[in-house]
Amino acid sequence: MQNSATPTHCPYCALQCGMNLTPAPDGTVEVSERADFPVNRGALCGKGRTAPAVLSSRVRLTSPLVRSGGTLVPAGWDEALDRIAEGLSRTRAEHGPDACGVFGGGGLTNEKAYTLGKFARVVLGTSQIDYNGRFCMSSAAAGGIKAFGLDRGLPFPLEDIPKSGCVILVGSNLAETMPPSLRFFTELRENGGTLIVIDPRRTKTAEQADLHLMPRPGTDLALALGLLHLVVAEGLVDEEYVRERTAGWEDARAAAMAHWPEYVERITGVPVPQLRETVRLFCEPESAMVLTARGPEQQSKGTDTVSAWINLCLATGRAGRPFSGYGCLTGQGNGQGGREHGQKADQLPGYRKLDDPAARAHVAEVWGVDPDALPGPGRSAYELLDALGTDIKSLLLMGSNPVVSAPHAAHIEERIRSLDFLAVCDVVLSETAALADVVLPVTQWAEETGTTTNLEGRVLLRRQAITPPDGIRSDLEVMHELADRLGVEKGFPTDPEEVFEELRRASAGGPADYSGITYRRLAEENGVFWPCPTEDTVVHPGTPRLFLDRFATPDGRARFVPVSHRAIAEEPDEEYPVLLTTGRVVAQYQSGAQTRRVDELNAAAPGPFVELHPRLAERLGAAEGDPVAVVSRRGRAVAPARITLGIRPDTVFMPFHWYGEGRANTLTNPALDPTSRMPEFKACAVRVEAVKS
């Protein structure tokens, strides 16, 4: 590549911040500001600034590895690919196609996610495919589809946030998880708007709020219902809007009225005056928004919780109107696009349902296969991982590290170790890759071209800025070679633009219609919002704002969903009297597989910790920095104490980026939401013990 600046996007979170990359004479890559991209306007967090560090051969994989005598050793590409093909073929022959599992990631480009779903269903013939995005915003997706008929993280651009009158931010610490986005909320307040943050911790985001509510973890559903009760009781329902643009209000209203303020206070710990103040601040201005993140979504009732917050928006006329609405702050870099194009257990490209005959026929025609040959829906992410070594004998895994990121992680690690065969494609030797029979080193964000879809539904073009090292291949090349070895010689191109052209055809007419989006448009227009059904920019420039005229339901009306409070799957008791909640810190990302290899980030966040209230620390006899053990029914984790008044006395917090004795997901509960199949990461019963030296 030339030594000139290449405009592209960050490899980490769903903001997909714009940046320029320039190869330096010493072989490194320099990051510089790209002010023309409206999401971050040049601003970058520490992860984005240091992202090129993972391109270094010092930390990345540079050769295929195969297991020999219990050890991973370097091998050639042909040997490694042959071994994978042989392992998958043997499993299919002995146990059938569904004994082959495929597990993807929310960081894969749209082209890779699309091809991975096609590979699973066409080459392997397996229904057993899902991805780690199931752990991200599947509850919000399910709630959005129920209410609006469509799931897109934000139905409006981030630039609309400062123009709203009030934003309720539920369970998001965006000051640490996506720092460049904080400016939109700062501008909101500068414009006279109000920010309400709901979080059991006094986070850096909560410190920016006009009002901070600190509910008990796992009670967000009751909180939303209590607010809706007050909206009804105080005569603040937008009756005309409800009548003209919604359906199902009476049942949702009846359910909410069972959650009177004092009852909700007992459940959540949020005082009634704060509930009333929240309703006042939310209902007074002409426009308002509710934005949720993993806090309310990563629960065994996450879909109902999202529905309750959407009901609040609908009852007050806050959806499908300018500078108003419900939105979800997607987490992973391509968490949105990653589930739209086929690597989710129940979906085909274009966000089509796998059990819809018309959807199957459309996609099968694009793929050149018989619709009846396509397998049906498979297991969700945790259920797939839980079946490893029993029903599923072999696994192909791309861009995920479930040994760290999955709930009940010690159990999942055991299941992975029990596989007959495991192949992993990754840029680094993650904790999961270290268990594999074959590991393939693949290209990274700066070394390849492809598209992602950010949290706004804005499809973006990541451009290749540097040439990958010798011996590195792209995931598309891997799937092409494996398909060929497994008897499918056509249909798996290695050029990302060629893949995207096929994706356009496969998505045409679907809920997530990309058929009018081209690489040329993405380059010229700085991204295009889906749905976009035609290349003619005059006829259809893309859809930055959804639902202004009608919702994506058959009759155009949004649906209220009646929901009621229920307890988390595992309430505290005498043996486990404290609640654990988990999350991220600013200097690390997800399972830490990449960020833990960056010296600057490790210096800022070197390891796990347990955040606890002084009263709990005093009962334990623990001082700042002392090791404490957090014990659940699933295991034990040990990390230094971090004592703060910024957390509820009945709650402890652990970040989940690390492996080893401080692995937070050793403790978390895999209880699943019945609709989204989201595990309950955000609340489980634990006890905390001082660790004697």
Side-chain angles (χ1 to χ4, degrees):
M1 307 297 291
Q2 297 180 350
N3 290 344
S4 57
T6 300
T8 189
H9 296 273
C10 178
Y12 290 118
C13 83
L15 288 181
Q16 288 296 281
C17 292
M19 58 170 61
N20 291 314
L21 297 181
T22 306
D26 62 359
T28 60
V29 178
E30 296 177 354
V31 174
S32 60
E33 179 178 303
R34 182 183 163 195
D36 69 310
F37 188 58
V39 171
N40 62 309
R41 306 175 204 162
L44 293 169
C45 73
K47 295 186 290 292
R49 285 188 298 98
T50 61
V54 187
L55 299 168
S56 168
S57 59
R58 182 178 64 86
V59 300
R60 71 172 309 156
L61 292 167
T62 56
S63 168
L65 303 173
V66 299
R67 192 162 296 280
S68 175
T71 303
L72 287 171
V73 298
W77 271 94
D78 282 340
E79 179 187 355
L81 290 165
D82 286 346
R83 283 210 190 186
I84 296 174
E86 290 165 5
L88 296 173
S89 293
R90 185 170 55 252
T91 296
R92 284 197 304 170
E94 294 178 1
H95 305 284
D98 273 358
C100 294
V102 177
F103 199 84
L108 300 180
T109 62
N110 289 318
E111 292 80 359
K112 293 178 185 179
Y114 171 84
T115 303
L116 188 61
K118 181 180 179 182
F119 180 88
R121 295 176 175 110
V122 172
V123 177
L124 297 179
T126 182
S127 66
Q128 300 304 303
I129 175 172
D130 211 78
Y131 83 128
N132 64 14
R134 176 78 65 172
F135 300 156
C136 178
M137 58 174 290
S138 57
S139 293
I145 291 170
K146 284 186 176 186
F148 308 130
L150 185 69
D151 156 45
R152 197 179 85 182
L154 294 180
F156 40 70
L158 284 163
E159 65 190 34
D160 282 5
I161 290 172
K163 303 170 187 175
S164 188
C166 176
V167 174
I168 299 179
L169 191 60
V170 191
S172 172
N173 182 16
L174 52 82
E176 296 199 64
T177 58
M178 44 182 67
S181 69
L182 190 62
R183 65 172 56 192
F184 294 103
F185 298 87
T186 301
E187 292 172 11
L188 165 77
R189 299 183 69 207
E190 290 172 348
N191 292 342
T194 301
L195 176 61
I196 301 170
V197 171
I198 298 173
D199 198 303
R201 303 169 58 226
R202 182 74 175 172
T203 64
K204 291 182 180 179
T205 306
E207 290 172 358
Q208 309 298 314
D210 298 282
L211 178 62
H212 175 207
L213 311 185
M214 296 180 71
R216 187 171 174 266
T219 63
D220 308 272
L221 173 53
L223 180 59
L225 288 163
L227 296 176
L228 183 53
H229 176 111
L230 285 170
V231 165
V232 175
E234 297 180 13
L236 298 172
V237 174
D238 188 332
E239 301 286 357
E240 181 180 0
Y241 174 94
V242 168
R243 184 172 57 254
E244 294 183 354
R245 298 205 61 188
T246 73
W249 166 234
E250 289 306 319
D251 288 343
R253 178 186 182 280
M257 295 315 288
H259 299 78
W260 59 95
E262 292 76 14
Y263 173 55
V264 170
E265 179 181 304
R266 290 199 301 273
I267 294 169
T268 64
V270 177
V272 171
Q274 287 192 352
L275 299 176
R276 295 187 183 280
E277 180 67 358
T278 300
V279 168
R280 184 186 71 80
L281 293 172
F282 186 69
C283 292
E284 273 187 355
E286 184 176 345
S287 58
M289 299 175 177
V290 172
L291 305 178
T292 67
R294 306 302 79 74
E297 298 163 16
Q298 287 183 326
Q299 297 181 28
S300 60
K301 51 185 173 178
T303 302
D304 283 359
T305 302
V306 167
S307 292
W309 287 106
I310 292 175
N311 289 348
L312 179 67
C313 291
L314 294 177
T316 53
R318 306 301 198 177
R321 283 180 168 174
F323 316 124
S324 292
Y326 166 79
C328 165
L329 299 171
T330 310
Q332 295 189 81
N334 197 31
Q336 181 70 51
R339 70 179 178 280
E340 293 169 359
H341 298 301
Q343 65 172 336
K344 201 173 178 184
D346 58 348
Q347 287 175 357
L348 288 169
Y351 223 143
R352 289 179 159 91
K353 299 297 289 183
L354 189 53
D355 57 4
D356 176 0
R360 293 169 67 88
H362 175 87
V363 174
E365 182 178 6
V366 174
W367 288 352
V369 299
D370 185 339
D372 293 337
L374 295 177
R379 293 175 172 88
S380 70
Y382 181 81
E383 291 164 306
L384 188 157
L385 295 171
D386 188 43
L388 299 181
T390 54
D391 294 339
I392 299 173
K393 304 294 185 180
S394 293
L395 181 69
L396 174 63
L397 185 146
M398 288 187 171
S400 187
N401 189 18
V403 163
V404 177
S405 63
H408 200 0
H411 169 69
I412 295 305
E413 182 173 349
E414 290 176 1
R415 301 312 324 138
I416 290 173
R417 290 180 182 275
S418 73
L419 282 164
D420 292 349
F421 182 80
L422 171 64
V424 173
C425 300
D426 211 330
V427 299
V428 297
L429 190 66
S430 69
E431 287 78 10
T432 305
L435 304 179
D437 297 284
V438 180
V439 183
L440 300 181
V442 291
T443 50
Q444 300 185 52
W445 58 290
E447 301 164 347
E448 60 188 12
T449 294
T451 62
T452 61
T453 307
N454 81 344
L455 77 171
E456 307 166 296
R458 189 194 305 252
V459 185
L460 305 166
L461 182 63
R462 280 192 195 162
R463 298 170 176 87
Q464 182 180 355
I466 60 172
T467 301
D470 291 340
I472 306 296
R473 299 187 185 181
S474 74
D475 296 281
L476 295 180
E477 291 174 299
V478 168
M479 287 183 278
H480 172 86
E481 292 289 341
L482 289 177
D484 185 56
R485 283 166 168 79
L486 291 166
V488 181
E489 298 177 0
K490 296 181 179 180
F492 289 86
T494 60
D495 177 65
E497 187 168 7
E498 186 177 347
V499 175
F500 191 78
E501 288 299 302
E502 183 178 304
L503 182 157
R504 292 175 60 205
R505 298 196 304 274
S507 73
D513 190 335
Y514 283 32
S515 59
I517 303 174
T518 64
Y519 272 30
R520 178 190 58 78
R521 285 193 64 178
L522 294 177
E524 293 177 355
E525 300 173 36
N526 226 346
V528 177
F529 291 85
W530 71 261
C532 183
T534 175
E535 290 184 54
D536 189 327
T537 58
V538 176
V539 174
H540 206 297
T543 315
R545 295 168 182 87
L546 295 169
F547 313 138
L548 294 180
D549 299 317
R550 69 191 311 275
F551 295 97
T553 57
D555 61 4
R557 292 173 173 265
R559 302 288 190 267
F560 283 97
V561 178
V563 293
S564 296
H565 166 71
R566 63 180 186 275
I568 58 174
E570 188 179 73
E571 288 282 0
D573 54 24
E574 288 187 9
E575 187 176 3
Y576 300 98
V578 177
L579 282 168
L580 168 71
T581 194
T582 64
R584 286 169 46 191
V585 297
V586 66
Q588 300 289 353
Y589 181 72
Q590 302 299 78
S591 76
Q594 295 183 46
T595 51
R596 285 187 276 116
R597 287 166 168 79
V598 179
D599 292 341
E600 181 180 330
L601 300 179
N602 280 334
F609 57 86
V610 180
E611 192 174 276
L612 66 163
H613 191 275
R615 289 206 302 243
L616 178 55
E618 184 179 5
R619 289 203 301 271
L620 297 173
E624 180 77 14
D626 285 352
V628 295
V630 183
V631 184
S632 78
R633 289 177 173 86
R634 289 155 294 282
R636 183 175 189 264
V638 178
R642 184 173 293 184
I643 302 171
T644 173
L645 289 167
I647 193 168
R648 291 175 55 96
D650 58 2
T651 301
V652 294
F653 166 84
M654 291 187 71
F656 58 78
H657 309 290
W658 288 273
Y659 185 61
E661 69 171 4
R663 179 174 60 185
N665 277 321
T666 296
L667 308 167
T668 48
N669 190 353
L672 301 180
D673 180 288
T675 302
S676 68
R677 315 309 287 168
M678 168 73 85
E680 192 151 62
F681 286 99
K682 282 297 183 279
C684 70
V686 298
R687 65 173 180 268
V688 188
E689 303 169 342
V691 176
K692 297 178 181 179
S693 57

